[in-house]
Amino acid sequence: MRGLLTRLLGDAGERELARLRPVVDEINALEADYQALSDDALRQRVADWRGQVQEAIADLDGEERKRVLQATLDALLPHVFAAVREASRRTIGLRHFDVQLLGGMVLHRGKIAEMKTGEGKTLVATTAVALNALAGRGVHVVTVNDYLSRRDAGWMGPVYHALGFSVAAIGHEFSGLYDPGYTDPRPHHDDRLNHFRPISRREAYAADITYGTNNEFGFDYLRDNMALRVEDLVQRELYYAIVDEVDFILIDEARTPLIISGMVEGGVERYQRFARIVPRLRPGVDYTVDEKIKNAILTDEGVAHAERLLGIDNLSDPEHAELMHHLHQALRAHACYKRDVDYVVKDGQVIIVDEFTGRLMFGRRYADGLHQAIEAKEGVRVERESQT
């Protein structure tokens, strides 16, 4: 049945490729024009397109910017692809075949281009990467390991460099900018790895094109979300990415979560302060306790009492959200968590008791500041809170 439907209606992938083949003809028709340009003229042509694209979206945002950007890039696609093919032929001796141009168009449209090993996936990506890099918002090429990130960036680097794009690669303990005039003082056996000038992580993300692994992009994103200062951020706005071996990265690798922890800003004194305040609140009057879910809720009278104890006018004011959070956790620690039932104090540490087995759970801590609130309640050393 499926075979019959395919014959009657056509394969969806084939129909898409059929729509794209006239564009390949248009790119091929431009080939002689771009072969006639000098290196400087070719680079200037790309600079002009970059200015055209960025001017078109300069005063736009949201869906309008996205729509205008897509239309502008689609209009430039035949010329940009022809320029990339010519730059590749001149610099690394590889000329894109028609099927590779088709693959680049599929990638540009945000779809999956299925290609077999040896069909030139690395070269295919250059067309879509260069086209989308015209927006000046940073293009990511996601690879499966550090070696491929650096190799592919170094291999395709001459193509991008000839067109005026900056190219960087990031790894686990590496970030470098492709610079044909630079040679690594400790040369590698593969010359494609030898021309990366060391730069900061932030500079690598500021490049027009950045190659890296899914883990490095992911962990940098997590670290940025835990940064305390704007100047500590390394990534900029996420815009466009091409994922190599998409089945491996978005299915196999995606089964392993990326987890990162760091210390939360602020000292331990706040926990000790609230540990002194909550015993002055009256059970049944200032707060009620739900033993089943181990939660304590302030009554209206309790809120007013807490405001007097804290010396503030309105505890519900957004600027006091952090105070409200610490008060709530301190109240839970005081009213809901019992020593020698929910936890024990041993060698100056609060250790959780497993409610099902009764075993001590060494190394485990309550989240969201609750463990610190219990430590303050028991008068032991309060460890700094971490964010995961």
Side-chain angles (χ1 to χ4, degrees):
M1 177 61 76
R2 184 181 177 190
L4 176 61
L5 287 174
T6 300
R7 289 196 297 273
L8 290 175
L9 303 175
D11 179 81
E14 282 301 321
R15 291 200 303 273
E16 178 72 14
L17 292 176
R19 285 194 291 269
L20 296 177
R21 285 193 176 96
V23 184
V24 173
D25 295 337
E26 190 176 346
I27 297 168
N28 289 334
L30 293 168
E31 186 166 16
D33 295 340
Y34 284 93
Q35 287 179 344
L37 294 177
S38 67
D39 291 348
D40 289 341
L42 187 62
R43 182 182 285 241
Q44 183 58 50
R45 190 71 62 90
V46 175
D48 292 342
W49 294 331
R50 190 194 295 246
Q52 179 182 338
V53 171
Q54 294 180 20
E55 182 180 357
I57 62 174
D59 299 321
L60 305 176
D61 55 22
E63 287 300 314
E64 179 67 8
R65 180 171 69 171
K66 184 177 179 180
R67 183 187 64 78
V68 172
L69 175 60
Q70 186 69 41
T72 306
L73 293 180
D74 287 347
L76 289 172
L77 186 149
H79 288 272
V80 175
F81 275 42
V84 172
R85 177 159 69 179
E86 179 58 24
S88 177
R89 187 186 66 81
R90 293 182 189 184
T91 56
I92 61 175
L94 297 176
R95 177 188 175 276
H96 296 69
F97 293 110
D98 288 359
V99 68
Q100 292 173 320
L101 297 177
L102 284 170
M105 284 185 271
V106 170
L107 292 176
H108 167 62
R109 284 163 171 73
K111 299 183 178 181
I112 296 174
E114 182 179 1
M115 303 185 70
K116 295 180 175 62
T117 300
E119 288 187 331
K121 293 182 294 181
T122 307
L123 185 64
V124 165
T126 56
T127 49
V129 166
L131 178 62
N132 285 274
L134 293 173
R137 296 167 62 192
V139 170
H140 293 165
V141 182
V142 188
T143 64
V144 296
N145 60 51
D146 284 350
Y147 169 73
L148 288 179
S149 297
R150 195 166 175 178
R151 186 207 70 177
D152 291 358
W155 188 7
M156 299 297 122
V159 180
Y160 298 125
H161 190 266
L163 298 170
F165 295 113
S166 57
V167 187
I170 60 172
H172 180 54
E173 295 181 346
F174 167 83
S175 54
L177 183 72
Y178 174 78
D179 181 351
Y182 175 87
T183 301
D184 198 316
R186 293 179 294 179
H188 301 267
H189 70 281
D190 187 340
D191 190 56
R192 292 171 293 189
L193 310 179
N194 285 328
H195 304 290
F196 287 95
R197 179 165 46 82
I199 56 174
S200 69
R201 205 76 160 182
R202 189 172 191 175
E203 289 174 309
Y205 281 110
D208 294 314
I209 302 157
T210 306
Y211 282 73
T213 66
N214 54 307
N215 281 350
E216 293 305 313
F217 287 130
F219 276 122
D220 284 337
Y221 177 83
L222 293 177
R223 280 189 282 265
D224 275 0
N225 275 271
M226 300 180 72
L228 302 178
R229 302 177 303 170
V230 172
E231 53 267 32
D232 292 332
L233 301 176
V234 296
Q235 291 185 343
R236 50 177 169 162
E237 174 194 22
L238 300 179
Y239 158 59
Y240 181 86
I242 288 179
V243 182
D244 188 16
E245 300 205 28
V246 67
D247 52 345
F248 176 74
I249 289 177
L250 294 186
I251 299 176
D252 299 336
E253 281 281 283
R255 294 188 178 121
T256 304
L258 304 183
I259 300 173
I260 191 169
S261 295
M263 304 312 294
V264 175
E265 186 178 18
V268 300
E269 299 80 10
R270 54 188 175 178
Y271 300 106
Q272 295 162 341
R273 178 190 181 193
F274 283 97
R276 293 191 296 268
I277 289 175
V278 292
R280 299 166 66 179
L281 298 176
R282 299 157 296 177
V285 178
D286 292 328
Y287 63 89
T288 59
V289 176
D290 187 330
E291 295 285 355
K292 185 177 180 180
I293 63 173
K294 289 189 177 297
N295 196 19
I297 301 173
L298 286 171
T299 63
D300 291 343
E301 190 170 345
V303 171
H305 191 182
E307 288 170 345
R308 291 194 298 273
L309 293 172
L310 292 168
I312 60 176
D313 293 330
N314 184 4
L315 193 56
S316 300
D317 195 297
E319 68 177 289
H320 298 313
E322 189 176 355
L323 291 179
M324 190 66 167
H325 169 72
H326 288 297
L327 175 61
H328 180 233
Q329 295 296 60
L331 187 57
R332 290 180 66 206
H334 172 74
C336 304
Y337 287 80
K338 309 300 182 185
R339 182 170 180 166
D340 297 329
V341 176
D342 300 297
Y343 63 89
V344 298
V345 178
K346 185 177 182 180
D347 299 327
Q349 291 184 315
V350 171
I351 303 171
I352 300 172
V353 175
D354 189 308
E355 63 177 313
F356 299 108
T357 66
R359 294 176 180 173
L360 300 184
M361 302 172 70
F362 293 97
R364 294 284 300 274
R365 294 176 65 82
Y366 294 117
D368 212 16
L370 176 60
H371 209 98
Q372 286 76 10
I374 295 173
E375 288 171 332
K377 164 191 169 183
E378 295 295 343
V380 301
R381 182 172 179 265
V382 180
E383 300 290 342
R384 286 192 63 188
E385 183 181 352
S386 65
Q387 178 185 7
T388 300

